[in-house]
Amino acid sequence: MHTVVVGTSGATASDVLAVARGGARIELSAEAVAALAASREIVDALAAKPEPVYGVSTGFGALATRHISPELRARLQRNIVRSHAAGMGPRVEREVVRALMFLRLKTVCSGRTGVRPEVAQTMADVLNAGITPVVHEYGSLGCSGDLAPLSHCALTLMGEGEAEGPDGTVRPAGELLAEHGIRPVELREKEGLALLNGTDGMLGMLVMALADLDLLYKSADVTAALSLEALLGTEKVLAPELHAIRPHPGQAASAANMLAVLKDSGLTGHHQDDAPRVQDAYSVRCAPQVAGAGRDTLAHARLVAERELAAAVDNPVVLPGGRVESNGNFHGAPVAYVLDFLAIAVADLASIAERRTDRLLDKNRSHGLPPFLADDPGVDSGLMIAQYTQAALVGELKRLAVPASADSIPSSAMQEDHVSMGWSAARKLRTAVDNLTRVVAVELYAATRAVELREGLTPAPATRAVVEAVRAAGVGGPGPDRYLAPDLAAADAFVRDGRLVAAVETVTGPLR
C-alpha cells in the first residue's frame, strides 16, 4: 500500500488524493516529530507563566477575555471540542472527511501549532485504521476555519461521538478506537483549539474538485469535437495560428484537443454542402474559448490550492524564534473565492454543452439529422427527454453558480463578524462537478448516436474508438425507443471513470 510521509513543509495534491481516495497509509517524519516536540516546549513554557496567552490560558472567540486557571485548562480543551461538534444534516462523504483530517494533520506537523507528537500520531493512527468520524453537512462558516467539521473529527480522537469503521458501520468512536488498539487523547493546553482552527475541509474539497475537473475538461473537449463532427462543422476554427493571436493557454489546449480528436475525419468540412454555412454556431465555433477560460480558471484555483497546501493555518501560531502570535490566517476567503469561481466556469461549460446537444436534436439546425435523432420520428421520441434532463441539470448548475463567498453571517457575539462561507462554496461545487459529469454524458450519448446516423461518411479514428468503447460499455446506439435511463447512467459512468478520455487517447496520445 502507498505510504504518505508527513513532514513540516506541507503536502501535495497527490498526497491528499492518495489518502482521501486511495486509502494510503500515513507516517510522520522524524523532522515532523522533532518540530512538534519543540513547539510544544514553547507552549508549555507559556502555560506556566502568569500572563494570559490566547488559546493557551484563555477562553476562545468572544470569551477570550477570561484567564483560565491551570486546573481548568484540560477541561477547557475538552469542552471546546464537545461544544463545537455541533454539526447537523446529512453525513459528509468519507473522502471529504479523510481529506479534512489529513490536511489538519499536515498543519499540526508543521510545528506551528504547539500540539504534542502523540496527538499527531493518534490522528495518523485513526486514518490508518480506516476510522472515519461522522461529520455533518452544516456547521461551518469558513471562519475560524471549518470549526464544526473539524470538531467532530477531534471528538473521535477523544474517543467520543460516532465514527464509521472500515466495514462501513457507524458505531461509538470509543469502541472503534479500542478495537484498533488506539488510546483516546487527553487534550492539553491549546490542543483542542489547534485541532479545530483551519480551512482543511474546504481545501480538501478544492483539491478533489480540481482533479475531477481536469478529467472533465478533457472529456468536454472530446464531446465538443464529436458534436462538431456530427453537425458537419469545420475544424478550421481550431487551427493553432488562430488561437496563438489570442494567447490564453487554456483556449489553445482545448482547441488542440479538439483538433486531435477530429484528425482525419470524413465528416468535417461539409458546412458548404447542401445548406451552406459561412460559420458554425457559437456553441460549436467558440467551444475552445469557453472551455479554455474554464481551464485557465482551474490553473488559478490550482495555484491557490498549492499555496494553501504549503500553509500552516492556526490561531495562535508558534513562529520561528518562539513567539506565539494571534492572527487571521484561518479566514477562508482565498479558498472560497476560487471555489465559487470554479462553480461559475462549470455552469458555463455545461450550458454550452447543452446548446450543442439541442442543436443535434433539432432538425432545423442539425443539417440533415432526423428530429431528436429518433428512429421513426413521431412514433419514436428519440432523445427528446434526454435533453430535458440535461437542461434541468444546467438550470441547477446556474443556481449553484451563485457565489457563497459574497455572503457573510456574523457570529460569536460579533467577534467573528465577517466569515468566508468557504465550506458552503465547496459543498455546492461538489454537486456542480457531479452534475457537469451528467451533462457531458448526455452530449456524448447524443453525439455518438448522431455520428452513427451520418451514413456514407467516415468519422475520425478517435471518434470510432469512442463509439466502439461506449457501445462495449453498454451504452446503446441508434434504434427504436427504449428505456433510456440505463443508457444515460452507463454514459455517465463512462465519462466519470475516465474511459471516454482513455478511449480517445488510444488514438491521439495524451490530451492536454
Side-chain angles (χ1 to χ4, degrees):
M1 181 179 289
H2 180 62
T3 298
V4 171
V5 178
V6 184
T8 60
S9 56
T12 66
S14 59
D15 290 338
V16 176
L17 295 170
V19 173
R21 291 178 167 173
R25 291 189 58 81
I26 298 164
E27 292 181 4
L28 308 185
S29 71
E31 176 193 29
V33 173
L36 285 159
S39 67
R40 185 64 208 180
E41 288 181 6
I42 294 168
V43 170
D44 286 341
L46 289 172
K49 292 183 177 181
E51 298 85 8
V53 178
Y54 176 69
V56 177
S57 53
T58 71
F60 310 108
L63 302 176
T65 54
R66 178 177 172 182
H67 183 256
I68 307 298
S69 59
E71 66 273 12
L72 294 176
R73 290 177 189 169
R75 178 179 161 192
L76 170 70
Q77 299 301 320
R78 289 195 303 272
N79 284 352
I80 190 176
V81 173
R82 289 168 175 165
S83 65
H84 286 41
M88 295 181 72
R91 285 179 56 196
V92 170
E93 302 85 357
R94 182 176 184 269
E95 67 177 16
V96 172
V97 179
R98 286 184 62 83
L100 172 78
M101 289 187 69
F102 171 71
L103 287 167
R104 195 69 216 141
L105 176 60
K106 175 267 298 181
T107 281
V108 164
C109 287
S110 69
R112 299 283 172 253
T113 68
V115 169
R116 288 170 295 152
E118 51 264 45
V119 175
Q121 185 60 56
T122 302
M123 296 172 75
D125 291 343
V126 168
L127 283 164
N128 289 341
I131 297 171
T132 307
V134 171
V135 172
H136 299 279
E137 180 81 17
Y138 303 106
S140 172
L141 299 179
C143 191
S144 303
D146 295 316
L147 286 173
L150 283 162
S151 297
H152 282 277
C153 294
L155 199 66
T156 294
L157 301 178
M158 292 166 49
E160 300 180 19
E162 291 186 318
E164 178 186 299
D167 63 353
T169 303
V170 175
R171 295 168 51 196
E175 292 181 10
L176 287 167
L177 295 187
E179 282 185 7
H180 289 85
I182 302 172
R183 183 177 179 180
V185 297
E186 297 179 6
L187 299 175
R188 288 168 47 179
E189 290 94 341
K190 194 183 179 302
E191 290 180 332
L193 183 62
L195 293 177
L196 317 185
N197 213 343
T199 55
D200 308 289
M202 62 184 91
L203 175 59
M205 287 185 273
L206 173 60
V207 169
M208 289 185 283
L210 288 169
D212 294 339
L213 288 171
D214 182 68
L215 175 65
L216 272 174
Y217 269 82
K218 292 176 185 175
S219 302
D221 290 341
V222 172
T223 58
L226 296 184
S227 291
L228 183 153
E229 194 173 21
L231 290 167
L232 306 180
T234 176
E235 80 282 12
K236 291 182 178 179
V237 296
L238 305 173
E241 56 270 27
L242 290 174
H243 299 278
I245 62 175
R246 194 188 190 194
H248 294 289
Q251 177 179 322
S254 287
N257 284 346
M258 290 181 66
L259 202 56
V261 173
L262 294 171
K263 185 179 180 182
D264 296 327
S265 173
L267 277 73
T268 58
H270 290 273
H271 59 294
Q272 292 292 336
D273 288 355
D274 296 335
R277 284 165 278 160
V278 176
Q279 302 177 107
D280 290 318
Y282 281 11
S283 60
V284 177
R285 186 174 12 131
C286 302
Q289 285 77 8
V290 173
R295 284 171 168 269
D296 291 342
T297 302
L298 284 178
H300 172 62
R302 192 171 290 112
L303 175 62
V304 172
E306 289 169 356
R307 290 170 177 165
E308 199 76 1
L309 285 166
V313 176
D314 194 14
N315 180 45
V317 291
V318 180
L319 292 172
R323 289 166 48 213
V324 176
E325 297 286 355
S326 293
N327 67 92
N329 283 342
F330 49 73
H331 200 287
V335 183
Y337 291 169
V338 294
L339 288 162
D340 279 335
F341 199 174
L342 287 173
I344 293 169
V346 162
D348 201 35
L349 185 63
S351 179
I352 197 171
E354 184 276 330
R355 287 293 80 205
R356 289 190 295 265
T357 303
D358 181 66
R359 185 166 288 272
L360 288 167
L361 272 54
D362 183 353
K363 71 180 182 65
N364 296 313
R365 294 179 291 142
S366 66
H367 309 289
L369 291 169
F372 303 105
L373 306 181
D375 185 63
D376 185 2
V379 174
D380 294 311
S381 295
L383 306 190
M384 180 191 295
I385 306 305
Q387 185 267 332
Y388 276 42
T389 298
Q390 192 186 40
L393 288 163
V394 171
E396 177 68 7
L397 282 164
K398 291 175 181 178
R399 291 185 287 274
L400 291 167
V402 176
S405 58
D407 187 19
S408 177
I409 300 179
S411 56
S412 192
M414 295 299 287
Q415 176 71 7
E416 299 170 9
D417 59 352
H418 184 273
V419 297
S420 77
M421 305 303 285
W423 173 272
S424 299
R427 296 305 295 163
K428 69 185 183 65
L429 178 60
R430 279 182 71 83
T431 303
V433 170
D434 206 31
N435 284 345
L436 174 61
T437 308
R438 297 184 177 106
V439 169
V440 171
V442 175
E443 184 180 17
L444 171 68
Y445 189 52
T448 51
R449 177 182 284 207
V451 165
E452 288 182 288
L453 290 171
R454 294 292 188 187
E455 296 179 359
L457 296 173
T458 304
T463 301
R464 295 199 297 274
V466 169
V467 172
E468 290 171 6
V470 80
R471 298 293 171 254
V475 181
D481 280 357
R482 56 183 174 271
Y483 179 26
L484 210 56
D487 273 2
L488 296 178
D492 174 56
F494 188 75
V495 173
R496 193 175 298 270
D497 63 18
R499 282 177 286 165
L500 170 59
V501 171
V504 165
E505 290 182 336
T506 61
V507 176
T508 64
L511 297 179
R512 292 169 60 178

